[in-house]
Each structure stands twice: as C-alpha cells, then as structure tokens.
C-alpha cells in the first residue's frame, strides 16, 4: 500500500510539471533550466521503478505466506520459523487476539485439573462412606474385612488403568483420552449413587478407581505439553491441590449428607470436564509427533503465542520430528532395544523410587482412614469429624503453598525438606503412642500436631513433585509409556498400602505402622538426594536431551 502511494505521488509530480505549465505572460518567471527538468524527470522515473520493485517484492511475500500452510501439509519434515508471520502460523484463528497465551494455558490446564479433582473425590469418599455403612440400621452391612475391600477396590484397577492410559494417550491423543475417561467416571458414580447392595458399591468403586489410574499419567503429560516452562510448575503442582480439594470436598459433603447423595453430587464434575475439553485444542507435541504439523502449529500458537521463546521451542519440536522422519523405520527388535535407552531407563528408575517413597510414607492411609486414624492416635478427647476436616483444610492450604513454592524454588530442595519432616512427624507420632501405650492423656495436642505436621510436610513435596516430574522427565516418543509405568507403580503401592493398613494397625499396632512409614520416608529421601535431577525452568526438549547425553545434573 505504502509503495503504491509513493508511485502515484511520483506520477503526479511529473504530470504537474509537464501538463500544467504557467501561461500567464504578465508574470515574470525565470526560464526553466532544461538540465534541472531532465534531472527531476530522471528522479521520478527512478522512484517509479523502485516503487514497482517494492510492490513486486510485497506481492511475492504475500504469495509465500499464503503457500506456507500448504507447504506444511505437503511436508512432515523440519520447517524454518525465522521469518514466519503471525497470520501464516494461525491463519483463521481469532482467539489468539482475544485471549493471552497465559489465559489459554490456564483454560487447558483447568480441564485436566478438574478431572484430577474428581479423582480426589474418589480418594476421600471411603472415609465418609465406611462410617455411615457401619452405623446401626445401615442397608448394607459392613465389617472390617468388607470395609478394607470397599476402600481398596478403588486402588485395585488404578495400576492397570495407568498402563492402559499410556497406550490410550499415544494412540488417540491427550485430549481425546480425557474424553474417554469421563464416561466410566460418570458411570462409576452413578452405580454408587444407585447402590442397594455391596456388589454395586464395589463395581462403582472399581470404575472410579480405574479412572483415577487413567487420569494419573494423563493429566501431568497434557499439562506439561501445553504449558510454558514458566507456568508448567504451578499448574503441575495444582494437580496435588486438586486432589487435596477433592478429598476435602468429599469429606465436607459426606459429613452432613448421606453417602448416596454425595455420589450424585460427584456425578456433576465429569460432565463439566467434557464441556471444558470441548473448547481447547489437542496437545501440539502429540499432533506434531503424529505428522499433523499444521494442526500442531495452530494448537501451539493458540496456547503459547508468538514470543521468541515459544518460536524456539516450536522449532525444536518440529526439528525433532524432521530427525525422526529421516531415520529408517525400526524393526520390532529395535523398538524393544530402544526401551533400554538411558533417556527412558534413568527417569523411570527415579520416578519409581519417588512414587514408592511417597506411597509407603502412608499418605493414602491417612486419606482413606482419616477418622479411624484420628480415633486411634488422638483418642476420645476431640470430635473426629472436626479433626478430619481440619486436617483436610490444612492439606488444601499446603497444596496451595506447594503451587507457589514449586514455581519459586527447585524440585530438589522441596523434596528433601518434605521427606525429612515427613519422617520426623511419623516417627514422633509413633514414639508418642509408644510412651502412652494407649492410655488416656491430656496431651492430645501432641499426636494431633504430629498428624498436622505430617500433612504439611508431605503436601509440599512428596505428594506433588512425583506427579509434576512424571510429565517432565520422559522423552516424547515414550512419554505415555514411561509415565504409565511409573504411575502404575505408585498405584500398585497405593493398593498395597491401603489394603494392608487396617490389618497392620490391628495386628502389629499403630506404633510399628507409623514407625515403618516414617522410616521409609527417611530412606527414600536419602536415595533421592543422590539421584533426583533439577528440572525447574527447563524445556521438555532440554530435559530429554540431557538424559540422553547422560549430563543431567542433580544441582
């Protein structure tokens, strides 16, 4: 446009000189200099030629931009992003101009976090279900063995759910896998709400527990692939916050509402998740890895905008796709051998140690058997439901603190501080119970303080960090497999701990049980001190490259 105006202005100047000479003979005007006129005409001609060149260049540039998307469709190889225009990256989207990338990332993360909140409802539900079933006049009789199965039934399918999810998210995509999880989640809560016998309760708990396993690796992976390094930490930490809030909400509702009505309320949240998922794109990393370059670029730009850092990360993802295309198709034996690669085995070992340490520190024993543990640890001197809600509220507050601290501080210091104070709290509770030997005492504030200190310590590190790093440390090509295996490990541990906790406290005593949990927390933290890397502020590609090169640093 600007070039066209310059060209026209040059024409008008020449025309004014040629076609509108002064004819008023009464005016004395100097004779025009022929050389001066010739110079002006030459300058006008040069200006016109230059303007035409600029116009031609602009036309060619516009044509190049129009063919950019078409070139992407015809190529699965690397692309140069240095000179791309915003309208070429996201030709038809108006959302980018309306909302900031931070808002779009928040919206995408909220969909996954809401599903995790529903998982928290499942974890906390048994703590209010079992006391109501044990009341006189309950329509479904419940003894200690039945209670342990109702609690553990949710944990039983979690590990297979993680392994299934690893395949599901790689085959159908991260967002589509979330869609698939919503249906059985809703079905499970409906079965519990309609249950009039033990079989329906167990079946409903099985479906909801399976969905907890399915969402376990899926949420962290989706958030990691849709968020910038600056926001990734806080949204991954929000996963543990969502679990804590879910446990609190289920306990809060179940304290005053019948367990069947509580289940009906829980049916709402899978439906809300579907609504949120319908307005966000698929993971751009997954799209590009599957050769859907155009959709991947659009999704990435919708989520991350057009900043230099975002462009650089996008280029790295596409270049990785280019390198994968240039490699020959691996045989089955080569695929199996590739699973032994250091970029998979190293983070897998680290995550298994991390998850086992968290689970065998007793975190879900406290969540599933809150009222029973408070009764045995604190005694009769306090309202157990009030104490349970106080602990739940504290867990929620500390999960909020974890979101802030994970953004500000590294993974390693939070892990070490959390593990150390978790061990101290459990050992302290064990020692108090040993010294009192079950006798009534006026010092009920001591065991309650130990329990609250335990919740504070474990909620800022051992609980959120494994789920955060599960979505960070595995390479793109096996992210679903790696996160699925490590998450399956935690849910196997989850089931073992939840199923054995009542028997351990009955047969071995609370002193030995809590002492064992504290000792495992201490030993696991010691191992993590030597092997846990720092991933704060690093892109997923950088973390993968460091594991591959063997240069991953624990500092």
């Amino acid at each position: 446009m600007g070039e066209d105006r310059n060209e026209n202005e040059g024409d008008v100047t020449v025309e004014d000189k040629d076609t509108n000479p002064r004819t008023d003979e009464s005016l004395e005007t100097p004779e025009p200099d022929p050389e001066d006129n010739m110079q002006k005409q030459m300058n006008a001609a040069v200006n016109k030629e230059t303007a035409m060149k600029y116009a031609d260049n602009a036309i060619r540039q516009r044509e190049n931009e129009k063919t950019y998307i078409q070139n992407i469709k015809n190529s699965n190889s690397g692309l140069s992003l240095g000179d791309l225009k915003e309208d070429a990256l996201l030709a038809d989207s108006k959302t980018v101009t309306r909302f900031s990338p931070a808002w779009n990332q928040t919206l995408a993360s909220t969909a996954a976090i809401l599903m995790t909140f529903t998982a928290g409802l499942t974890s906390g539900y048994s703590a209010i279900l079992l006391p109501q079933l044990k009341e006189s006049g309950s329509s479904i009789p419940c003894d200690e063995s039945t209670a342990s199965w109702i609690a553990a039934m949710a944990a039983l399918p979690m590990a297979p759910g993680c392994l299934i999810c690893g395949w599901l998210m790689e085959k159908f995509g991260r967002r589509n896998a979330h869609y698939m999880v919503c249906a059985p989640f809703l079905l499970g809560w409906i079965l519990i709400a309609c249950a009039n016998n033990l079989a329906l309760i167990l079946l409903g708990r099985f479906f909801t527990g399976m969905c907890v396993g399915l969402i376990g690796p899926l949420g962290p992976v989706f958030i990691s692939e849709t968020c910038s390094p600056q926001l990734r930490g806080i949204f991954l930490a929000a996963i543990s916050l969502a679990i804590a809030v879910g446990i609190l909400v289920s306990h809060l509702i179940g304290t005053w509402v019948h367990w069947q009505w509580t289940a009906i309320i829980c049916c709402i949240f899978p439906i809300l998740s579907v609504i949120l998922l319908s307005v966000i794109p698929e993971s751009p990393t997954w799209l590009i890895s599957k050769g859907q370059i155009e959709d991947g670029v659009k999704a990435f730009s919708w989520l991350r905008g057009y900043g230099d850092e975002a462009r650089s990360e996008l280029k790295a993802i596409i270049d990785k796709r280019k390198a994968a295309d240039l490699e020959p198709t691996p045989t089955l034996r080569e695929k199996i051998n590739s699973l032994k690669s250091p970029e998979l085995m190293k983070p897998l070992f680290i995550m298994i140690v991390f998850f086992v340490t968290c689970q065998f520190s007793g975190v879900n024993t406290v969540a599933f058997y809150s009222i029973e543990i408070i009764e045995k640890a604190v005694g009769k001197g306090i309202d157990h439901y009030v104490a349970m809600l106080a602990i739940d509220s504290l867990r929620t507050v500390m999960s909020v603190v974890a979101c802030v601290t994970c953004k500000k501080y590294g993974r390693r210091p939070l892990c070490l501080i959390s593990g150390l104070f978790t061990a101290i709290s459990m050992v302290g509770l064990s020692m108090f119970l040993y010294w009192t030997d079950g006798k009534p005492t006026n010092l009920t504030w001591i065991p309650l303080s130990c329990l609250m200190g335990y919740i504070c310590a474990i909620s800022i590190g051992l609980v959120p960090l494994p789920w955060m790093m599960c979505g960070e440390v595995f390479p793109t090509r096996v992210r679903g497999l790696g996160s699925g295996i490590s998450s399956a490990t935690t849910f196997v541990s989850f089931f073992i701990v939840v199923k054995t906790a009542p028997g351990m406290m009955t047969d071995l005593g609370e002193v030995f049980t809590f002492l064992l949990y504290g000792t495992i927390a201490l030993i696991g933290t010691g191992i993590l001190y030597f092997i846990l890397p720092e991933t704060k502020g690093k892109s997923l590609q950088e973390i993968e490259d460091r594991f591959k090169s063997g240069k991953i640093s624990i500092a």
Side-chain angles (χ1 to χ4, degrees), residues 76-153:
N76 289 333
S77 60
L79 301 170
S80 175
L81 302 180
D83 300 324
L84 296 182
K85 298 296 182 181
E86 291 183 3
D87 56 347
L89 281 170
L90 198 56
D92 300 323
S93 175
K94 296 181 177 59
T95 310
V96 170
T97 60
R98 292 179 182 175
F99 303 111
S100 69
W103 165 254
N104 292 337
Q105 292 172 51
T106 301
L107 191 63
S109 298
T110 301
I113 290 169
L114 186 58
M115 291 290 289
T116 309
F117 168 79
T118 312
L121 295 174
T122 301
S123 297
Y125 186 71
S126 63
I128 58 96
L129 171 65
L130 298 180
Q132 292 188 35
L133 292 181
K134 290 179 180 179
E135 292 177 354
S136 59
S138 173
S139 59
I140 302 175
C142 180
D143 55 20
E144 182 176 313
S145 176
T146 301
S148 68
W149 274 111
I150 290 175
M153 182 56 70

Side-chain angles (χ1 to χ4, degrees), residues 184-205:
F185 233 150
L186 180 60
L187 175 61
W189 286 116
I190 290 175
L191 289 173
I192 295 173
C194 300
N196 55 8
N197 56 61
L198 180 62
L200 283 179
I201 290 181
L202 292 177
L203 186 60
R205 292 285 288 168

Side-chain angles (χ1 to χ4, degrees), residues 377-382 432 440-450:
V378 179
K380 306 291 184 180
I382 189 172
F432 176 84
T441 176
N442 294 327
L443 301 176
T444 55
W445 62 270
I446 295 179
L448 186 59
S449 297
C450 287

Side-chain angles (χ1 to χ4, degrees), residues 42-43 48 60 159 210 229 241 250 252 403 408 465 479 502 519 547:
M42 290 177 64
N43 289 341
K48 180 183 291 187
R60 284 195 296 269
M210 181 182 66
L241 172 61
S250 65
L252 191 63
C403 292
K408 188 174 182 180
L465 290 176
R479 188 164 291 150
T519 303
F547 270 118

Side-chain angles (χ1 to χ4, degrees), residues 483-499:
S483 59
I485 294 175
S486 56
S487 300
T489 302
T490 195
F491 286 124
V492 169
S493 304
F494 189 142
F495 175 76
I496 294 173
V497 170
V498 171
K499 186 68 178 74

